[in-house]
Amino acid sequence: ASESKRVTTFPTQLPADAQPFDLLVINICSLATSDIEAAGLLQHPLWSHFDIRFSDFNSATSYSGPAAIRLLRASCGQPSHTDLYQPAGNQCYLFDNLSKLGFTQHLALDHDGVFGDFLKEVREYGGMQSPLMDQSNLPVNLRSFDNSPVYDDLAVLNRWLKNEETAAGGRTATYNILPLHDGNHEPGQSKPADYKVRAQKLFDELDAFFTELEKSGRKVMVVVVPEHGAALQGDKMQVSGLRDIPSPSITHVPAAVKFFGMKAPHQGTAIDINQPSSYLAISELVARAVDGKIFTEDNVDWSAYTGNLPQTAAVSENANAVVVQYQGKPYVRLNGGAWVPYPQ
């Protein structure tokens, strides 16, 4: 009830001297902080490039569809799992808020979006209506468990970069997803591809793409928000790979933001947002940057830009399970039963 009253205020129109830029939202499947630790990739150079990192970000679910809807509805407080599948107020849809200010929506996926009706859910409940970016002749990196292609992420991102509409220097907002999903395998192989190998490749490709962006001089705000973890390690309630219960190790994800093409880029290590945060904080950062002036200022007041972001208590849920943090410890309720401490 208290979350339903919260909303990000976007300007009704942009000032005359607003600077056009691109917003690229990268929604990554199966990547929690615990997975990066388990794969030994915390020191990968990719993580040192961000301007802002969230060290206490809750994805609020352990499944892709609900995570995508939550992110696309980031401009309102956190809805219950059931309410994700009901219409939300227009002010809740992040990309709609941007469209009203002249941003063109784009959608790029590195898969066909068929499994779990992913694309249908993104359209129906996330309000993302733009056509899927052309996938023809993209190199196939992996095959998913239903043998549909998973395209090479660097190729997808570079196609976005070179797309005539996005390259024209107008205002665009693009949403895409890069899966490390369980069950992906190398073409011609039946056993699942090693997670660490796939994560290393993904991080290398994002790193390479960031280098391309730097060189292009384009003004781009990149927001990375993983959907949920892969549960690589498992715990006392769920074996490795099982995500029925949205436990903290699955929903604690490394969200981060990076600006390209700034006159005064951020120096030094990333600003750490360490208070409990979720999608509303991402929406707020986008709203604060929406006039694009952050790209052309001689001196950016980073503490003002990142200060007083909306905090969101860590509550995560799937259809049959809710996990909350209470007095510093996680508690779980299954199928509407009693609250019990989550076994540590």
Side-chain angles (χ1 to χ4, degrees):
S2 61
E3 284 292 308
S4 67
K5 299 182 183 74
R6 304 174 78 194
V7 62
T8 309
T9 311
F10 277 80
T12 47
Q13 61 187 80
L14 292 179
D17 59 349
Q19 297 293 318
F21 70 96
D22 301 307
L23 170 70
L24 175 60
V25 178
I26 301 180
N27 199 201
I28 304 177
C29 177
S30 303
L31 184 69
T33 307
S34 61
D35 301 320
I36 304 175
E37 279 173 20
L41 292 172
L42 280 177
Q43 302 310 314
H44 190 284
L46 171 70
W47 302 108
S48 64
H49 293 322
F50 289 98
D51 300 327
I52 301 163
R53 290 179 65 180
F54 287 87
S55 54
D56 192 2
F57 191 95
N58 180 36
S59 73
T61 176
S62 54
Y63 290 122
S64 296
I69 299 166
R70 288 187 182 283
L71 177 57
L72 290 168
R73 292 185 180 188
S75 300
C76 284
Q78 183 174 313
S80 70
H81 179 81
T82 319
D83 283 350
L84 292 178
Y85 299 95
Q86 305 298 325
N90 285 346
Q91 74 281 9
C92 297
Y93 297 96
L94 176 62
F95 284 79
D96 273 10
N97 288 326
L98 292 164
S99 296
K100 291 184 187 109
L101 296 171
F103 284 76
T104 348
Q105 290 187 21
H106 295 268
L107 172 66
L109 297 179
D110 61 1
H111 59 101
D112 60 17
V114 173
F115 175 73
D117 283 336
F118 182 80
L119 193 54
K120 186 166 168 268
E121 289 204 349
V122 162
R123 298 208 184 294
E124 198 170 329
Y125 306 115
M128 170 55 77
Q129 297 311 328
S130 44
L132 184 55
M133 191 178 84
D134 173 35
Q135 294 180 327
S136 56
N137 306 319
L138 283 170
V140 175
N141 174 24
L142 295 161
R143 292 265 165 193
S144 89
F145 56 89
D146 59 0
N147 218 36
S148 58
V150 177
Y151 300 107
D152 182 81
D153 292 316
L154 190 56
V156 173
L157 289 165
N158 280 333
R159 181 168 290 185
W160 171 81
L161 193 58
K162 296 176 175 67
N163 176 321
E164 285 165 34
E165 284 181 63
T166 53
R171 293 184 175 87
T172 69
T174 307
Y175 168 79
N176 74 1
I177 176 174
L178 311 169
L180 291 166
H181 199 283
D182 191 30
N184 287 352
H185 53 271
E186 304 281 344
Q189 303 274 325
S190 58
K191 73 175 189 1
D194 179 70
Y195 183 92
K196 180 174 180 168
V197 172
R198 287 180 289 148
Q200 176 83 43
K201 182 175 191 287
L202 175 66
F203 296 173
D204 290 350
E205 292 192 332
L206 284 175
D207 212 22
F209 174 67
F210 281 6
T211 306
E212 286 294 303
L213 269 187
E214 287 283 11
K215 282 196 214 135
S216 75
R218 290 257 296 269
K219 296 183 177 74
V220 185
M221 176 182 184
V222 175
V223 179
V224 172
V225 187
E227 299 174 352
H228 57 74
L232 277 191
Q233 293 195 285
D235 60 26
K236 289 180 178 168
M237 269 198 102
Q238 297 184 107
V239 296
S240 170
L242 194 65
R243 293 181 280 111
D244 291 348
I245 302 168
S247 66
S249 62
I250 298 175
T251 62
H252 186 257
V253 298
V257 179
K258 168 85 177 152
F259 289 90
F260 293 88
M262 295 182 87
K263 187 173 179 184
H266 181 259
Q267 302 297 325
T269 54
I271 296 161
D272 175 35
I273 311 291
N274 58 12
Q275 60 263 37
S277 306
S278 197
Y279 304 102
L280 196 62
I282 297 287
S283 175
E284 181 64 31
L285 284 175
V286 172
R288 290 179 186 182
V290 81
D291 64 9
K293 292 182 183 178
I294 195 167
F295 290 94
T296 52
E297 285 170 353
D298 294 328
N299 287 301
V300 175
D301 186 343
W302 288 98
S303 57
Y305 176 62
T306 58
N308 294 324
L309 289 171
Q311 298 187 29
T312 303
V315 177
S316 305
E317 56 180 318
N318 293 336
N320 301 317
V322 187
V323 177
V324 299
Q325 290 286 341
Y326 178 67
Q327 295 182 343
K329 294 193 179 72
Y331 285 78
V332 60
R333 183 172 71 178
L334 300 176
N335 301 313
W339 289 103
V340 293
Y342 194 91
Q344 294 297 296

